[in-house]
Amino acid sequence: MNLRQLDISRRTIAVAAALIGTVSLVIGAHAALNMRALDAAKAVSTDQVTGSIGQTSRLALVIGNGHYPDASAPLTQSINDARALSSSLRKSGFDVDMVEDATKDDMVRAVNRLKSRIKRDTVVMLFFGGFGVQAGRESYMLPVDAVIWKESDVRRQGVSIEGVLDMMKQQGAKAKLVVVDASRRNPYERRFRSYSHGLAPISAPDNALILSSASPGKVVDDGKGEHSVLVGEFLNNLNAQGSAESVFNKTRVAISRASEGDQVPTVSSSLLEDVQFNEAGG
């Protein structure tokens, strides 16, 4: 090898070494950036988890069914009630899933969504406004696409309130709140009963609070206002805040007095602890 060839070889080696060094630096910098990105992601995740520790989650499923094809006129109050209640509950810190004019599939999907989100520290609320029918010892919420000609159809077409409560219990909800505004004369019962039976007593499982618009077996007529009597009074007390049991009981007393005993809502409680509606007190 002559001197010229030796000189070229040395330059080639030097260039190659410089290239290798540059690539190593780029790889090292890229790895460092990746590590910083991972660390940042971990920090964000940790902050989110830490922020949720000690905070009670609040979930609400609000169903307002108003347009039943079998009814002579729509239940406009049910839709208004669902919208107004959803707004108030959101202000009270609830994450609300609102469904209007729900079919059976809509209601089942909504209940399943609720089920998937309930945790051990969750306060869960269910509201239903629409037509309800009792079958056996259970009360059923009726979807707008219900096809009912006999009592057995109620069990197939409706969604059991007791079934939803049992789901909440099985999922370990901290507290279960239910408001049912469905004690109405409906176009279905007259097909297999001589008169509307209202709703069956809804038994409260552990740590539950239930408000129904009328006494078991009774029905009430809708007023002419924007909201039903039950929801209108419930919203007044809810906006004033306070414990859930206080809101439910004040609503019951106010309606009973205003109607001079013609409409007496039912409150069933098995609460084991104080549940506040406003988030700060929860």
Side-chain angles (χ1 to χ4, degrees):
M1 179 182 298
N2 56 34
L3 291 174
R4 182 178 177 80
Q5 290 174 325
L6 181 60
D7 186 50
I8 291 172
S9 297
R10 286 175 178 169
R11 278 184 289 175
T12 301
I13 292 170
V15 170
L19 286 172
I20 291 170
T22 301
V23 171
S24 297
L25 286 172
V26 170
I27 292 173
H30 184 67
L33 286 172
N34 281 342
M35 287 301 293
R36 280 197 290 271
L38 286 172
D39 289 341
K42 288 178 181 177
V44 170
S45 176
T46 301
D47 287 344
Q48 289 173 342
V49 172
T50 303
S52 65
I53 292 175
Q55 294 181 1
T56 300
S57 62
R58 296 163 172 265
L59 301 175
L61 172 56
V62 176
I63 303 173
N65 284 352
H67 294 86
Y68 290 88
D70 289 5
S72 58
L75 302 174
T76 55
Q77 289 180 336
S78 294
I79 303 296
N80 295 337
D81 293 345
R83 293 175 181 176
L85 183 58
S86 294
S87 177
S88 290
L89 289 173
R90 288 188 179 107
K91 291 176 183 177
S92 296
F94 280 81
D95 188 347
V96 180
D97 184 1
M98 184 181 72
V99 186
E100 294 181 8
D101 287 332
T103 65
K104 173 68 177 291
D105 286 345
D106 292 335
M107 292 175 70
V108 170
R109 282 194 294 265
V111 171
N112 286 335
R113 285 195 300 271
L114 182 67
K115 178 180 179 180
S116 69
R117 301 185 64 196
I118 295 175
K119 297 180 174 58
R120 291 285 170 181
D121 66 341
T122 307
V123 172
V124 188
M125 180 166 175
L126 168 68
F127 168 81
F128 176 75
F131 286 135
V133 175
Q134 66 167 290
R137 296 183 178 181
E138 293 189 51
S139 295
Y140 290 82
M141 304 176 285
L142 297 189
V144 294
D145 63 345
V147 179
I148 295 172
W149 292 96
K150 52 187 181 298
E151 185 172 340
S152 58
D153 291 335
V154 175
R155 298 185 181 91
R156 286 194 297 269
Q157 301 283 322
V159 176
S160 167
I161 297 171
E162 286 83 356
V164 177
L165 274 165
D166 186 60
M167 176 276 289
M168 294 177 184
K169 179 180 178 180
Q170 294 300 321
Q171 293 301 107
K174 177 182 179 181
K176 300 160 279 292
L177 311 176
V178 177
V179 177
V180 182
D181 193 7
S183 299
R184 295 178 167 94
R185 293 178 179 85
N186 62 76
Y188 304 102
E189 282 186 285
R190 68 187 65 164
R191 295 170 179 169
F192 60 90
R193 288 176 182 155
S194 57
Y195 63 96
S196 293
H197 284 197
L199 298 182
I202 303 170
S203 59
D206 295 343
N207 215 22
L209 182 64
I210 301 167
L211 172 65
S212 186
S213 56
S215 303
K218 301 290 185 180
V219 294
V220 294
D221 295 320
D222 289 326
K224 299 184 182 299
E226 180 182 3
H227 299 294
S228 71
V229 175
L230 179 77
V231 173
E233 192 60 47
F234 185 79
L235 287 171
N236 288 338
N237 288 293
L238 178 62
N239 292 334
Q241 299 187 346
S243 71
E245 197 151 12
S246 172
V247 171
F248 279 44
N249 282 322
K250 286 179 179 178
T251 299
R252 177 182 61 81
V253 171
I255 293 173
S256 300
R257 287 176 177 171
S259 67
E260 297 183 345
D262 286 341
Q263 180 178 351
V264 183
T266 299
V267 174
S268 300
S269 177
S270 62
L271 284 181
L272 304 175
E273 57 191 283
D274 189 30
V275 178
Q276 296 289 322
F277 263 118
N278 56 310
E279 190 172 23

